Every structure is written in C-alpha cells, then in structure tokens.
Amino acid sequence: MNSHEMPDIQSSHDARDIAIDQVGIKAIRHPMTLVDGGQESSSVAECQLTVGLPADQKGTHMSRFIALLNEEPLRLSVAGMDEWTQAMVERLEAVSGEAHFSFPYFLAKDAPVSGQAAMMDYDVTLRGHVEHGRARTSLKLVIPVTSLCPCSKEISAYGAHNQRSHITVEADVSDRNLSLHDLITAVEAQGSCPLWGLLKRPDEKYITEYAFDNPKFVEDMVRDVANALEDYPGLNGFSISVENFESIHNHSAWAVINRPAR
Amino acid sequence: MNSHEMPDIQSSHDARDIAIDQVGIKAIRHPMTLVDGGQESSSVAECQLTVGLPADQKGTHMSRFIALLNEEPLRLSVAGMDEWTQAMVERLEAVSGEAHFSFPYFLAKDAPVSGQAAMMDYDVTLRGHVEHGRARTSLKLVIPVTSLCPCSKEISAYGAHNQRSHITVEADVSDRNLSLHDLITAVEAQGSCPLWGLLKRPDEKYITEYAFDNPKFVEDMVRDVANALEDYPGLNGFSISVENFESIHNHSAWAVINRPAR
Amino acid sequence: MNSHEMPDIQSSHDARDIAIDQVGIKAIRHPMTLVDGGQESSSVAECQLTVGLPADQKGTHMSRFIALLNEEPLRLSVAGMDEWTQAMVERLEAVSGEAHFSFPYFLAKDAPVSGQAAMMDYDVTLRGHVEHGRARTSLKLVIPVTSLCPCSKEISAYGAHNQRSHITVEADVSDRNLSLHDLITAVEAQGSCPLWGLLKRPDEKYITEYAFDNPKFVEDMVRDVANALEDYPGLNGFSISVENFESIHNHSAWAVINRPAR
Amino acid sequence: MNSHEMPDIQSSHDARDIAIDQVGIKAIRHPMTLVDGGQESSSVAECQLTVGLPADQKGTHMSRFIALLNEEPLRLSVAGMDEWTQAMVERLEAVSGEAHFSFPYFLAKDAPVSGQAAMMDYDVTLRGHVEHGRARTSLKLVIPVTSLCPCSKEISAYGAHNQRSHITVEADVSDRNLSLHDLITAVEAQGSCPLWGLLKRPDEKYITEYAFDNPKFVEDMVRDVANALEDYPGLNGFSISVENFESIHNHSAWAVINRPAR
C-alpha cells in the first residue's frame, strides 16, 4: 500500500463545526543564520509554526511544516519574516498563520575602556503573522543589564545593592529595515549599566562607578525604556517588562508598561 | 537614623509623567492551602503580585506585598480571589492590581478498575484582577492526558502511537463557586484517556484499550475541550491549547482555540 | 480476566544477565511535611524512588513505589530517611535502593534591624541510600546569598558590583539529629550577606553596608563554606559549589571544593 | 590609573590554605562549529570552563576564559578536546582544568520509507579534563526514542501505550576518532523505535508497526544499550540512564546502569 492508497484522515470532513485558531508544530530546534544590518550570524532557533484551520477540516498537514523548514538553510531577518510566513501559509493551503523563531543573538561588543571584544548573547524572537491576506512582523527581545538601587544608595553610608536585570521588549515592526543591533543598544542604555562578556580591571572600575552614578529602580528602567521607544523609528506599539533578580532577596522586582499598536 | 528620618525615595515625585501598568514582586514561593469544594489541600505557590502606579509617583512599596503574604497563612480559593486582590490593592494604596498564584494541585484519584487511590498533580494558576473598582478572577489549568493518533491507528496493521499531552485552559470565572475539581474532570475526559498516578495491570489493560478505542488528533482534543467548555457553568470566555509531546518526533504538535470573554 | 490471570511480564526471567543499578520512578510530585528541630512545615516534593534489580529479573514493580508514597501522609526528616528507604527496599523485595525528595523549605526569618518576619525559601534534597543491608542519608542544600566583589570595591572610587549567588552543599549525614535550619544558617553566613524576604529601609541600609564591609569572591565563599563545614558536627565529607549570577556579565562565576566522605 | 597600577587582588596571597578543585565561568553561550566524521555543523554551546586553584592563590583570572573563547571561531570535535583543554589550562597558568560544551547536534535523517530528509536534534556535551599533565575526553549524549510497553501490549486486546523516552549516555572516550554520529545511531537503535523529524504516512505506518513489534520496558532499553556499548570501540566505561515520559502517568519511569572506566 503506497501513500496514495492510504486513508488521509487529516483531510476528511469534520462535523463539529469549530474552527481552530492555530495548529501546527512547537518546540522544534533548527540551525539558522540571522541577517541583521548586513551582518550574518549563526544560531539555533526554537520554532513554533502554526496555521488557522477551517471549521470543516479535520486536521492540518503537520509534515509540511517540517518539510518547509528543511528545504533550504534557514535564513531569518526582520525584513524577511512577512515573506517566510506567507510562504508557510500558502504551503499549508491556509488563510492565516504564525511563525515564531526564538534564538540567542550574539553581538561582538568592545569593553568600554580596554576595548577588548567578546560576544554578548541576547534572546530574540522573530514572529510573522498572516491574516486576511495581510502580513505583519513582531519581535521580542530579552536584554540583560545591571540595575543599582537608588534607595539603597541614598540611605547607606557606602555601597548600594545591584543585580542583573532582564528588560523584555515586545513590539510590532513597522519598518522592515529595523536593525536589531541598534534597538538592543538603545534599550540596554536604559539600565544602570549595560553588560559585557569580557571586562578587564579598568573596565570593571568604569562600569562599577557608572552604575553607581546611574541608580535606577525597576520602575525607572521600565519608564526610561518606554521613553526611549515612544518614538523609536520602525516600532508600532510595545510591551515592556523589567525583572530585577534582586541581590538582597530570593525573589524578583518586576514592572510592566504596555502601549497598544496604533 | 531611624526609618522615619530616612529619605523615602519611592514616595517622591516622578517627572517623566509615565504611568506603570504593573509593578511589584515576582517569582516568590510561599506555602499555601487551597480550598476547593470544601476540601483543603496543601501546596506551594509561586506568586506574582503587582499594582498600577500613577504617573507622578516614583516607586511602589515592594515590602508591603511581602508583609501581606506573611501576615497570616495563605489560603486560596476561587471564591476568595476577588477579596484577596482588593485587599492587596488597598494595602498598596493603589487603584488597580493583579495577584497570580501558580501551584500544583493534588487530587486523589481512584484507578479505573482496581479502585486503588493515588495523588495526581495538576498545575493551577489563580489570578485576581482589580481595575476601576471592579474585581474579577481568572484561572489557568494544565491538565495532562494521553492522546492516541487516529491516523497511525487507521493506516497501521496493529498498534498506534500515543503520548502524553498537556491541555491548557485559561478562562475568566463568572461564578465564585466554580469547582476546580469538576472543571479538571470535565477537561481531562476530552483526551484519548485521562492519567492516573497508580495503575495495576487490570487498570493498564483498561486504559490501553480505552485510548485505542478513542483516538484523537491534537485538533480533535482542542475542539472537544472547546465543545465541553462552550456552555460550562461559571466560565466566561476561554483560551484552550493542547500540546502533544509526540512519541514519534522530537517536537510537539500544538493547537489553540480562543473565545473572548463576553 | 482478573489481575492474577494476567501474565506478569515484569516478574519473568531475563536472559541478558545484566543487573540494573537503579530502576524506578522519577519526576513525581507529592505533598509533604518536613519535620526539622521539632518544627513542622508543609511543602511539595519532587520524588525519585529506585531500587537495584538483579540480573535475572525482567522488571521492577513500578506501582509499588506509588502505593508506598500514597499509603499515609508523607512526613520527611533527616532522622527518618534511613527507615523510609529501608521500608521502600523491602516493599520492592530488593536489596538496594535510593529515595530522593527535593522540595522548597520555608524558614521564617526576622529582618536584621526591624525584626519583621517573612518566609525565605531554600531548596533541599533529602536522600536515603540502602546497600548491603546498610542505610545512609545524604542531603543537598541550595542557599541563596549576596556576594560583593572585592576587586570591584578595591579599584573603584565608590560602589562595588554585587549579585545573588547560590551556595550548593552536598554531604553525607553522620548524625540523624542534624538540624537543617542550623546548617542553612551556618552556610548562609559565609556569603557577603544573607538574604531576607522582607526588608524595611533600616534593614536595607544595614545589609547594604554589611555586604560592602564583607566583600567576597566566589573563591572566598567556597573556601569559607569549606572552612565552616570542615568540622561541622553531623556531616561526613561534602561537595560545595558556589555560583555568582554576575551583575556585570551575562554568565556566572563558579567554584567547587570536594571533600570525600571518610 | 591604568591597569598595571591597579591592585590585582586575585593574584594576592590567600592564608586559608584551602585549594579549590574547580573555579571559572559557567552558563555562558557561544556560537560554535562541530566537526564530526569530516562533516561540519553549526550550533550554540553552553560552556563551563574551570581550572584548579592552588591553596595559596586568592583568585583565578576569570577574563582569560572569555578571552580564550573569543580569540578565534569556536571549533569543537571529539579529537580536539584534549588540546583545547590543555591550551586553556596553560592560558590560566593552572595545572588542572575542565572544559564542558553542551549543544544541540543536528543530524539530517532520511525517513525510513519515503526517504525524505529532515534534521533531528540530539543534546551533546563534550568535556575535556586535564590533571597531573594528562588529558582525557568524555561525552554525554541525550538521545530521544520511542518506547512501547511490553506489559500493556501483552495484557491488552489491542494497542499498547508508548511514549517518548530519553536515553542518556555518559562515557570516557578512548579513541579520538570516535564518531558521534555512529554512536548516536548505535544507541537509538535500542529503543522500541528511533525518532525522525519528518514522517509521511508510509513512514508513520512503518514505525507504528516497528515499535509494536519491538516492545521494551525502561529496563530492557537500559540493558540493551549496556549490551551495545559493552565492547563499543572508543569508549571506556559508561553510565546509561533511560527516562520514559510515561503516556499513562504524569511521572517518568527511569533506569540506570553504570560501568566504571577501566
């Protein structure tokens, strides 16, 4: 019995009359190349690929998602998400769909004084959405920074507690030429201090003093990022959250600001 | 210098004129008692407690969340979420707020043939929301079941691949007497078979045949849960997702149906 | 067909002649009560229960582990681990076995200046081992503290980077009256500063200055814990690791000292 | 003040007289290329790099690990681990050290009937160890397979529960030409059935029946892998564990066999 003689249950009629918003595959890893600002970098994506399913169709064609993923080397960019997602929706013979790719993005950063270069990693998710024939792209960034507590600095005779914090930005993209690198740089400037992979002693002195001169509550950071993104070219609406992995507690401080897309 | 002589930076004026949607604490664990249908059970919650912060106020009072959590033993129930959240919002002198508690909920279940009892664990999140003086409660359940593939059964001479699946339900609660136990039971009936902690051989025979007689795609499960919850008393709108941890792949199949609250 | 008429494959003979070191169940959650120093506290354990299997036996009796777990409320203590594990090994008709229970342990701690009390959570694993008729108990603790960098303090005009750190201790227990509470207190004193759940401003000033007066590299902490545990009553050998979730990097600093049991 | 005028606390004398077994960096991600059997593939490694620290030295030089990682593109292979680790130990002016790299390894696999190719991902850790002037390499593989329960098959009128399982192998490497690809293939043959990324219906029929014809308990798989690796060329000792993510329970079955290195 070959494939064409086998019953195709997925394509059969479904009598429940309930459309499915999204159906597909999740938690699949795939090697990829990110293209950003003309630079290429390798990474590994965790992928989530789904389409809408009409009320009268029993199942989707799961293997087509995998076939698409494997046809040619996976190259992702902000500019290419609309096309990728449209191609996926067509391949699945669907009218709507979403493609999410989450991956660590590596940037070579020069230490602030010594200038020594090392990779820093940022978690990025690129998402394509197709609905009613229109495609749009959105993104999610998780950007680690240092935060130093203004209260601790103010009330203490010396020192101030500080810690690693995560700034998470989710936004719709309105300009396909948006640079991830530039956006990350703009956001990480809103912490008490950015992070680097490699720091020599002159760098460590510099950033210790920089953070001390620049104390910020979790509330300050979420507001300063909101300020920085309010008119940031290429974004349309955003959701910002900041989590401080408090060095004086075993829990996090957390703040959120949402601005709906226009 | 005592507390009253120390500068209170959090209470100072903020000139950026940006309100914060949510600010508070996250990722804090606390022992708790769940009350459901008159039954009490112990568990450990991961808590996320936040309030809205006006544009002119620099910071919230983080320690008050912790004080509230520790004042008396934490007792949670669907019925009590509105009050808990309102008390939190008042304590923080805020006008809006959210309280999220995520915990494993243990139910003693009797095996289907032998009747032997053992605990089964389900991940539950109870959430209270206060805004514009109104409180509402919502919940999230993660319910593990077995799913057996209809295609595999149909095309194979014998056998059929099956696997553990997670059914996740998020919904607004419109009846404070909603029973978590009953809702879990209604949802887990929509898999190819429910799970049990303890199964003797007669039970294992029963559930193997039961699942084989009841094959379901991820699409079938999400639709059948939607059907079961469409008019379920005490719920208002829902989002259902089902994830199959495929036994034949190293990735998941996944489906989502959303119904907005009325 | 009832249970006794069903074939019992697990009990059949295995011809491969390969003994199995450990076989059983893993990743099962169960509510529990910890008894330590006469105090009881509720928590939820993740359990791993295994026995050795002789070369000629095809399989173990998985359901007996679950039955044992569910027979009576699970009460755990350092003092009771030997008996619990021996009972498990007997129940499985085995000659060796291990029982591991991992759970958050909550201690009420008073803030250092204000004296306000709040829960702090520590990850604890209690392990029982039975082999050749002898039982022994071991433990693992994960204790979060603050660490403040001596280099950053020394080279900077002001401030010093600090962060949350995890001190992990694994050790054999030689005294069944060992107090977890006392051991945690002895270990957390070796950071730059312990953590608390609730801190008012006078507490925050105190601990900021305390940490600044007490700078420690990851190397200092692992050595100071080794020092503190070298002759700690009730322990026999240890493995200590300290991980600093660096506030100036997106990676951790890490150090390990091992002392074999005598 | 330049770097040479700054105090170098790490290099100062330590009076506690306690050597540190391992100290370095952990949880750092870095892009990499794996070379195996002449084939190159891109991935992202999570790295843990440590050295031993003598009793009289206060601290190690953390930034040197990062510098080493960033000097040239990271190329890893079984054959190259000894040299990589020796170079690291020299760079840190140490006498012992360990380098661990954990990454997803992608293999293109052809579906068993249709022959369609797709990536499958396996978690691999390569480890180099240097001590007393001698280097050795070890590895860890996590290989997902299907397992089908012999008891369920035997006692049921039709069907049999099956699920995804993880086979984890840790072993010392005695031949630097060991092929990861070949070893993975040898191990995954010991499940009830291997996994593939892409399966068409004729493939799904084939593997459903293949698994049904090849039922294995967790005990069977751990023994069959032990058998397969007993005289496997290039390995010296091993530890094998198999975890079944049971489709009929919300917990795992688990088995372990250890063979010490000679």
Side-chain angles (χ1 to χ4, degrees):
Chain A
M1 183 162 68
N2 70 29
S3 180
H4 297 97
E5 293 161 341
M6 287 182 174
D8 182 357
I9 299 192
Q10 282 86 345
S11 300
S12 65
H13 182 77
D14 199 279
R16 275 162 296 197
D17 196 33
I18 301 178
I20 295 179
D21 293 286
Q22 292 179 259
V23 58
I25 61 169
K26 192 176 176 170
I28 184 164
R29 296 188 291 186
H30 205 82
M32 58 164 276
T33 300
L34 180 76
V35 187
D36 185 66
Q39 302 271 6
E40 297 195 358
S41 56
S42 289
S43 194
V44 171
E46 183 164 318
C47 316
Q48 178 188 305
L49 305 174
T50 58
V51 291
L53 192 74
D56 63 352
Q57 198 177 321
K58 187 164 175 66
T60 191
H61 305 283
M62 295 284 185
S63 66
R64 294 189 193 176
F65 293 107
I66 311 287
L68 181 62
L69 209 47
N70 283 278
E71 264 165 20
E72 41 191 281
L74 182 61
R75 288 172 65 85
L76 297 175
S77 63
V78 171
M81 283 308 298
D82 283 1
E83 283 77 3
W84 209 99
T85 312
Q86 278 163 326
M88 178 188 79
V89 168
E90 277 172 40
R91 178 68 158 271
L92 272 289
E93 299 169 36
V95 294
S96 67
E98 297 192 22
H100 296 200
F101 300 99
S102 298
F103 52 89
Y105 174 35
F106 295 94
L107 283 173
K109 286 179 72 175
D110 298 335
V113 178
S114 70
Q116 293 207 25
M119 297 284 194
M120 254 291 293
D121 54 321
Y122 303 85
D123 282 308
V124 174
T125 302
L126 291 180
R127 304 175 184 141
H129 314 245
V130 168
E131 203 167 3
H132 306 307
R134 280 193 55 234
R136 67 185 171 86
T137 291
S138 65
L139 54 75
K140 179 180 175 181
L141 305 175
V142 182
I143 298 171
V145 298
T146 295
S147 61
L148 185 137
C149 179
C151 173
S152 171
K153 176 181 173 179
E154 179 71 24
I155 63 181
S156 304
Y158 38 83
H161 75 82
N162 50 78
Q163 53 266 319
R164 207 187 296 167
S165 301
H166 280 177
I167 302 175
T168 301
V169 172
E170 300 191 71
D172 275 15
V173 173
S174 57
D175 177 353
R176 51 191 289 140
N177 295 315
L178 180 83
S179 156
L180 291 174
H181 186 149
D182 292 349
L183 180 55
I184 287 170
T185 304
V187 172
E188 74 182 356
Q190 311 308 323
S192 291
C193 193
L195 306 190
W196 281 267
L198 174 55
L199 296 169
K200 306 297 289 182
R201 268 172 296 149
D203 303 310
E204 190 170 356
K205 172 183 169 58
Y206 174 86
I207 65 164
T208 301
E209 296 169 0
Y210 188 96
F212 198 80
D213 289 336
N214 200 23
K216 297 202 182 192
F217 286 126
V218 72
E219 293 95 333
D220 293 316
M221 289 190 289
V222 76
R223 279 172 165 145
D224 289 347
V225 177
N227 232 347
L229 299 189
E230 199 71 67
D231 299 307
Y232 193 90
L235 297 186
N236 179 16
F238 53 72
S239 171
I240 303 161
S241 65
V242 183
E243 179 169 6
N244 284 7
F245 303 98
E246 297 286 297
S247 61
I248 61 170
H249 295 303
N250 198 27
H251 60 261
S252 296
W254 191 55
V256 180
I257 289 178
N258 300 307
R259 290 275 180 281
R262 285 173 299 267
Chain B
M1 183 161 67
N2 70 29
S3 180
H4 297 96
E5 294 160 341
M6 287 182 173
D8 182 357
I9 299 192
Q10 282 87 344
S11 299
S12 65
H13 181 77
D14 198 278
R16 275 162 297 197
D17 197 31
I18 301 176
I20 295 178
D21 292 285
Q22 291 179 263
V23 58
I25 60 169
K26 192 176 176 168
I28 184 164
R29 296 188 290 186
H30 205 82
M32 57 163 277
T33 300
L34 179 76
V35 187
D36 184 65
Q39 301 272 5
E40 297 196 356
S41 55
S42 290
S43 194
V44 170
E46 183 165 316
C47 316
Q48 178 187 306
L49 306 175
T50 57
V51 291
L53 192 73
D56 62 352
Q57 197 177 323
K58 186 162 176 65
T60 190
H61 304 283
M62 296 286 185
S63 65
R64 293 189 193 175
F65 294 107
I66 310 287
L68 182 61
L69 210 48
N70 283 279
E71 263 165 19
E72 42 190 280
L74 182 61
R75 288 173 65 85
L76 298 174
S77 63
V78 172
M81 282 307 297
D82 284 1
E83 283 77 4
W84 208 99
T85 312
Q86 277 164 325
M88 179 188 78
V89 168
E90 277 173 40
R91 178 67 159 270
L92 272 290
E93 298 169 39
V95 295
S96 68
E98 296 192 23
H100 296 200
F101 300 99
S102 296
F103 51 89
Y105 174 36
F106 295 93
L107 283 174
K109 286 180 70 175
D110 297 336
V113 178
S114 72
Q116 293 208 25
M119 296 284 193
M120 254 292 292
D121 54 321
Y122 303 86
D123 281 308
V124 175
T125 302
L126 291 181
R127 304 176 185 139
H129 314 245
V130 168
E131 204 168 1
H132 306 307
R134 281 193 54 234
R136 67 187 172 86
T137 291
S138 66
L139 54 75
K140 179 180 176 183
L141 305 174
V142 182
I143 298 171
V145 299
T146 294
S147 62
L148 186 138
C149 178
C151 173
S152 170
K153 175 180 173 180
E154 180 70 23
I155 65 182
S156 304
Y158 38 82
H161 75 83
N162 50 78
Q163 52 268 316
R164 207 188 294 167
S165 302
H166 279 177
I167 303 175
T168 301
V169 172
E170 300 192 70
D172 275 14
V173 174
S174 57
D175 177 353
R176 52 189 293 141
N177 294 316
L178 180 84
S179 156
L180 292 173
H181 186 149
D182 292 350
L183 180 57
I184 288 169
T185 304
V187 172
E188 74 181 356
Q190 310 309 321
S192 291
C193 192
L195 306 190
W196 281 267
L198 174 54
L199 296 168
K200 306 298 289 181
R201 269 173 294 150
D203 303 308
E204 190 171 355
K205 173 183 168 58
Y206 174 85
I207 65 164
T208 300
E209 297 169 358
Y210 187 95
F212 198 81
D213 289 336
N214 200 22
K216 297 204 180 190
F217 287 126
V218 71
E219 292 95 334
D220 292 316
M221 288 190 290
V222 76
R223 278 172 166 145
D224 289 347
V225 176
N227 231 350
L229 299 189
E230 200 69 70
D231 300 307
Y232 194 90
L235 298 185
N236 179 16
F238 53 71
S239 171
I240 303 161
S241 65
V242 183
E243 179 169 7
N244 283 7
F245 303 97
E246 297 286 297
S247 61
I248 62 171
H249 296 302
N250 199 26
H251 60 259
S252 295
W254 190 55
V256 179
I257 289 178
N258 299 308
R259 289 276 181 279
R262 284 172 300 265
Chain C
M1 184 163 67
N2 69 30
S3 180
H4 296 97
E5 294 160 341
M6 287 182 173
D8 181 358
I9 299 192
Q10 282 87 344
S11 299
S12 65
H13 181 78
D14 197 279
R16 276 162 297 198
D17 197 30
I18 301 176
I20 295 178
D21 292 285
Q22 291 180 262
V23 59
I25 59 168
K26 192 177 175 169
I28 184 164
R29 295 188 290 186
H30 205 82
M32 57 165 278
T33 300
L34 179 76
V35 186
D36 185 66
Q39 301 272 6
E40 297 195 357
S41 55
S42 290
S43 193
V44 170
E46 183 164 318
C47 316
Q48 178 187 306
L49 306 175
T50 59
V51 291
L53 192 74
D56 63 352
Q57 197 178 322
K58 187 162 175 65
T60 191
H61 305 282
M62 296 286 185
S63 65
R64 293 189 193 176
F65 293 107
I66 310 287
L68 182 61
L69 210 47
N70 283 279
E71 264 165 19
E72 42 191 281
L74 182 61
R75 288 172 64 85
L76 298 174
S77 63
V78 171
M81 283 307 298
D82 283 1
E83 283 76 5
W84 208 100
T85 313
Q86 278 163 326
M88 179 189 78
V89 168
E90 277 173 41
R91 178 67 159 272
L92 272 289
E93 298 169 39
V95 295
S96 68
E98 296 192 21
H100 296 200
F101 300 99
S102 297
F103 51 89
Y105 174 34
F106 295 93
L107 283 173
K109 286 180 71 176
D110 297 335
V113 178
S114 71
Q116 293 208 23
M119 296 285 193
M120 253 291 292
D121 54 321
Y122 303 86
D123 281 309
V124 174
T125 303
L126 291 180
R127 303 175 185 141
H129 314 245
V130 168
E131 204 167 3
H132 306 308
R134 281 194 52 234
R136 67 185 171 87
T137 291
S138 66
L139 55 76
K140 178 180 176 182
L141 306 175
V142 182
I143 298 171
V145 298
T146 295
S147 61
L148 185 139
C149 179
C151 174
S152 171
K153 175 181 173 179
E154 180 69 24
I155 64 181
S156 304
Y158 38 82
H161 76 82
N162 50 77
Q163 53 266 318
R164 207 188 294 167
S165 302
H166 280 177
I167 303 174
T168 301
V169 173
E170 300 191 69
D172 276 15
V173 173
S174 58
D175 178 353
R176 51 190 291 140
N177 294 315
L178 180 83
S179 156
L180 292 173
H181 186 149
D182 291 351
L183 180 56
I184 288 169
T185 304
V187 172
E188 74 181 356
Q190 310 308 322
S192 291
C193 194
L195 306 189
W196 281 268
L198 174 55
L199 295 169
K200 306 298 288 182
R201 269 173 295 150
D203 303 309
E204 190 171 355
K205 172 182 168 60
Y206 174 86
I207 64 165
T208 300
E209 295 169 359
Y210 188 96
F212 198 80
D213 289 336
N214 200 22
K216 296 202 180 191
F217 286 127
V218 71
E219 293 95 333
D220 292 316
M221 288 190 290
V222 76
R223 278 171 165 145
D224 289 346
V225 176
N227 232 349
L229 300 189
E230 200 69 69
D231 300 306
Y232 194 91
L235 298 185
N236 179 17
F238 53 72
S239 171
I240 303 161
S241 65
V242 183
E243 179 170 6
N244 284 7
F245 303 97
E246 297 286 296
S247 60
I248 62 170
H249 295 303
N250 199 27
H251 60 260
S252 296
W254 190 55
V256 179
I257 289 178
N258 300 306
R259 290 275 180 280
R262 287 172 297 266
Chain D
M1 183 162 64
N2 70 31
S3 180
H4 297 96
E5 294 161 340
M6 287 182 173
D8 182 357
I9 299 192
Q10 282 87 344
S11 299
S12 65
H13 181 77
D14 198 280
R16 275 162 297 198
D17 197 31
I18 301 175
I20 295 179
D21 292 285
Q22 292 179 263
V23 59
I25 60 168
K26 192 176 176 169
I28 184 163
R29 296 188 290 186
H30 205 81
M32 58 163 278
T33 300
L34 180 76
V35 187
D36 185 65
Q39 302 272 6
E40 297 196 357
S41 55
S42 290
S43 193
V44 170
E46 183 165 318
C47 316
Q48 179 187 305
L49 306 174
T50 57
V51 291
L53 192 74
D56 63 352
Q57 198 178 321
K58 186 162 175 67
T60 191
H61 305 283
M62 296 285 184
S63 65
R64 294 189 192 175
F65 293 107
I66 310 287
L68 182 62
L69 209 49
N70 283 279
E71 263 164 18
E72 40 191 281
L74 182 61
R75 288 172 65 84
L76 298 174
S77 64
V78 171
M81 283 306 298
D82 284 2
E83 284 76 5
W84 208 99
T85 313
Q86 278 163 325
M88 179 188 78
V89 167
E90 277 173 39
R91 178 68 159 271
L92 272 289
E93 298 169 39
V95 295
S96 67
E98 297 192 22
H100 296 200
F101 300 99
S102 297
F103 51 90
Y105 175 35
F106 295 93
L107 284 173
K109 287 181 71 176
D110 297 335
V113 178
S114 70
Q116 295 209 24
M119 297 284 194
M120 253 292 292
D121 55 321
Y122 303 86
D123 281 308
V124 174
T125 301
L126 291 180
R127 303 175 186 141
H129 314 245
V130 169
E131 204 168 2
H132 307 307
R134 281 193 54 234
R136 67 186 170 85
T137 291
S138 66
L139 55 74
K140 179 180 176 181
L141 306 174
V142 182
I143 298 171
V145 299
T146 295
S147 62
L148 185 138
C149 179
C151 173
S152 171
K153 175 181 174 181
E154 179 71 25
I155 64 180
S156 304
Y158 39 82
H161 75 83
N162 49 78
Q163 53 267 317
R164 206 187 296 167
S165 301
H166 279 177
I167 303 175
T168 300
V169 173
E170 299 190 71
D172 276 14
V173 173
S174 57
D175 178 352
R176 52 190 290 139
N177 295 314
L178 179 84
S179 156
L180 292 173
H181 186 150
D182 291 351
L183 180 55
I184 287 169
T185 305
V187 172
E188 74 181 356
Q190 311 308 322
S192 291
C193 193
L195 306 189
W196 281 268
L198 175 55
L199 296 168
K200 305 297 290 180
R201 269 173 294 148
D203 303 309
E204 190 171 356
K205 173 182 168 60
Y206 174 85
I207 65 164
T208 300
E209 295 169 1
Y210 187 96
F212 198 80
D213 288 336
N214 200 22
K216 297 203 181 192
F217 287 127
V218 72
E219 293 95 334
D220 293 315
M221 289 190 289
V222 76
R223 278 170 165 146
D224 289 346
V225 176
N227 232 348
L229 299 188
E230 200 70 70
D231 300 306
Y232 193 90
L235 298 185
N236 179 17
F238 53 71
S239 171
I240 303 161
S241 65
V242 183
E243 179 169 6
N244 284 6
F245 303 97
E246 297 285 296
S247 61
I248 62 170
H249 296 302
N250 198 27
H251 60 260
S252 296
W254 191 55
V256 179
I257 289 178
N258 300 306
R259 289 278 181 278
R262 286 172 299 266

